[in-house]
Amino acid sequence: MQLKRVVVTGLGAITPLGNSVQEYWANLVAGVSGAARITRFDPSKFKTQFACEVKGFNPEDYFDRKEARKLDPFCHYGIAAADQAVRDSGINAESVDNTRVGVIWGSGIGGLDTFQQECYAYAKGDGTPRFNPFFIPKMIADICSGHISMRFGFHGPNFTTVSACASSTNALIDAFTYIRLGKANAIVTGGSEAAVNEAGIGGFNACQAMSTRNDTPQTASRPYDQTRDGFVLGEGAGALVLEELEHALARGAKIYCEVVGGGMSADAHHITAPHPEGLGAALVMRNALEDAEMKPEDIDYINTHGTSTPLGDVAELKAIVKIFGEHAYNLNISATKSMTGHLLGAAGAIEAIATVLAVQTGTIPPTINHETPDPDVDPKLNLTFNKAQQRTVNAAISNTFGFGGHNAAAVFKKFSS
């Protein structure tokens, strides 16, 4: 069968660097860090006392007070980002066939804050089981996609992918696949996460996964630097409207770029650590390139998973050199988590937005906080350290990898008719 072409027609973002796509992108390009001491609770007893929190977000800009109370923060962020993306795309249930517009979302954890608060309340009580009737609907990871469909009246495919930090890239790939197979005309996709709370910080501290650079949180996320000591937890949401090309052209939609491929793989190695030689990372990029029917030399930029962990950063770069060979040294590579922190299940969504805008604008956002070269990092690689760079970006890859060995990569290309 003839596969449909898929384009990006809308973007939305709630991030530690800003609560709109424009603010998020401007701060990415400027190399701004979103990290600071945690404000949501007293973090003084925790090993890590900082995070990349969303700042200045008011749920009542998007919901009335009663509705907002029925939603976990991961839904606040997700629905708000989706609202922006849908408005940006100009798509609505009245002007298109709403039975062919879907929502495919991603979240690694879902309503962790709700779960924590309900458990706190029960533990403080007299043992009588008094739980909020919205406890389960607020907590479950799939609920955001349901709310988005109800908000806009979209009756097409609707579900949520859960693959840890690869969740929203998996969601995007699924949305791309449904559209190119002709099963939908448009899909709102992306992901959201809100795990900056005691359970989230304490849990990742117990895994020894996060940085403990409490004295200088803004410099704590430092991918590829020899002194990196773990990731910085972030929160927020990213949303993209993917649309079948002819459908988009017929309604006069603006087009950011084309989605041309997606790859998935498993490390099959360890519950939290990557394969030391980047086996799964290499496989997922190879699969993505094959799906896109592109050669390694066709790629100009890679937005890496780049979390700032000692093992993960090096394994991913080994995989890039393995797949791209000598062309690896012609690429721009950057890790935007150095600025946003790690948004877990929402990471792929906001990094996809950064990749889309790099393709559209020819601007490569930097990897900030690099000070000390790591002898295990190939010095010939252009990791776009500390300052944005300009170049033509005809095609780019966005990588995301998750606990459990889940790997996903999406390929974006300049649109041409």
Side-chain angles (χ1 to χ4, degrees):
M1 66 179 290
Q2 182 69 38
L3 296 175
K4 309 286 187 179
R5 293 175 67 184
V6 181
V7 293
V8 179
T9 60
L11 301 174
I14 303 293
T15 79
L17 297 182
N19 298 329
S20 68
V21 170
Q22 293 74 20
E23 189 179 4
Y24 165 55
W25 179 243
N27 283 322
L28 273 186
V29 172
V32 174
S33 171
R37 185 176 174 84
I38 291 168
T39 63
R40 304 283 168 72
F41 62 92
D42 178 5
S44 58
K45 293 183 180 180
F46 290 79
K47 294 177 184 177
T48 297
Q49 300 171 10
F50 59 93
C52 288
E53 295 176 308
V54 167
K55 304 161 189 72
F57 177 79
N58 182 2
E60 292 179 31
D61 290 341
Y62 294 90
F63 318 96
D64 64 43
R65 186 172 300 179
K66 184 177 180 181
E67 184 183 9
R69 291 175 61 189
K70 298 176 183 178
L71 301 169
D72 185 88
F74 99 101
C75 272
H76 290 157
Y77 300 153
I79 297 167
D83 189 275
Q84 292 176 19
V86 169
R87 292 177 187 277
D88 184 40
S89 75
I91 201 165
N92 62 76
E94 290 72 39
S95 62
V96 299
D97 180 354
N98 63 354
T99 68
R100 293 185 56 80
V101 182
V103 183
I104 301 179
W105 205 247
S107 185
I109 300 176
L112 183 62
D113 197 63
T114 293
F115 193 92
Q116 174 181 279
Q117 296 306 322
E118 290 295 314
C119 290
Y120 273 172
Y122 177 70
K124 290 177 181 177
D126 61 5
T128 303
R130 298 185 182 92
F131 288 89
N132 189 308
F134 292 101
F135 174 25
I136 301 302
K138 286 173 70 174
M139 178 200 71
I140 51 179
D142 69 289
I143 201 67
C144 194
S145 65
H147 279 295
I148 294 167
S149 70
M150 289 181 273
R151 187 178 184 91
F152 298 107
F154 296 152
H155 291 274
N158 188 283
F159 60 90
T160 292
T161 61
V162 179
S163 49
C165 307
S167 296
S168 51
T169 304
N170 276 137
L172 187 152
I173 293 168
D174 280 355
F176 165 64
T177 301
Y178 271 68
I179 296 169
R180 69 173 172 170
L181 290 176
K183 295 180 181 297
N185 293 334
I187 294 178
V188 182
T189 189
S192 54
E193 208 80 87
V196 180
N197 51 38
E198 293 92 332
I201 295 293
F204 283 113
N205 270 160
C207 291
Q208 299 183 350
M210 291 196 302
S211 171
T212 57
R213 193 181 287 263
N214 293 314
D215 293 338
T216 55
Q218 288 187 322
T219 67
S221 186
R222 44 182 54 221
Y224 316 121
D225 191 278
Q226 187 179 20
T227 63
R228 66 192 182 277
D229 68 330
F231 74 81
V232 177
L233 187 60
E235 62 175 357
L240 304 90
V241 175
L242 304 193
E243 194 166 349
E244 191 271 321
L245 173 60
E246 295 304 322
H247 188 268
L249 292 175
R251 65 182 191 86
K254 70 173 177 294
I255 294 173
Y256 284 95
C257 72
E258 188 169 359
V259 188
V260 290
M264 293 175 278
S265 75
D267 275 18
H269 171 69
H270 188 272
I271 57 171
T272 58
H275 189 282
E277 297 303 314
L279 184 150
L283 182 59
V284 78
M285 286 185 281
R286 189 186 76 186
N287 291 345
L289 287 169
E290 287 181 355
D291 190 48
E293 298 183 344
M294 298 179 79
K295 299 175 182 177
E297 311 86 74
D298 296 327
I299 301 298
D300 300 301
Y301 169 53
I302 299 177
N303 186 300
T304 60
H305 187 57
T307 58
S308 188
T309 58
L311 296 177
D313 291 1
V314 172
E316 184 173 10
L317 295 182
K318 286 181 179 179
I320 289 171
V321 172
K322 180 177 181 179
I323 293 300
F324 289 87
E326 284 299 312
H327 182 63
Y329 305 114
N330 300 322
L331 296 166
N332 267 87
I333 299 166
S334 72
T336 49
K337 288 184 181 74
S338 59
M339 296 172 277
T340 65
H342 192 350
L343 270 65
L344 308 178
I350 67 164
E351 289 159 19
I353 291 169
T355 308
V356 165
L357 294 175
V359 170
Q360 188 194 46
T361 67
T363 301
I364 309 296
T367 305
I368 68 167
N369 296 326
H370 184 261
E371 297 171 352
T372 308
D374 182 344
D376 292 329
V377 170
D378 190 332
K380 294 187 292 181
L381 292 170
N382 181 2
L383 298 171
T384 321
F385 283 134
N386 297 323
K387 187 176 180 180
Q389 296 178 15
Q390 300 293 320
R391 69 174 290 171
T392 300
V393 182
N394 290 308
I397 292 178
S398 179
N399 284 339
T400 46
F401 314 139
F403 278 7
H406 311 294
N407 307 308
V411 186
F412 302 92
K413 182 181 177 182
K414 272 191 183 301
F415 171 69
S416 61
S417 55

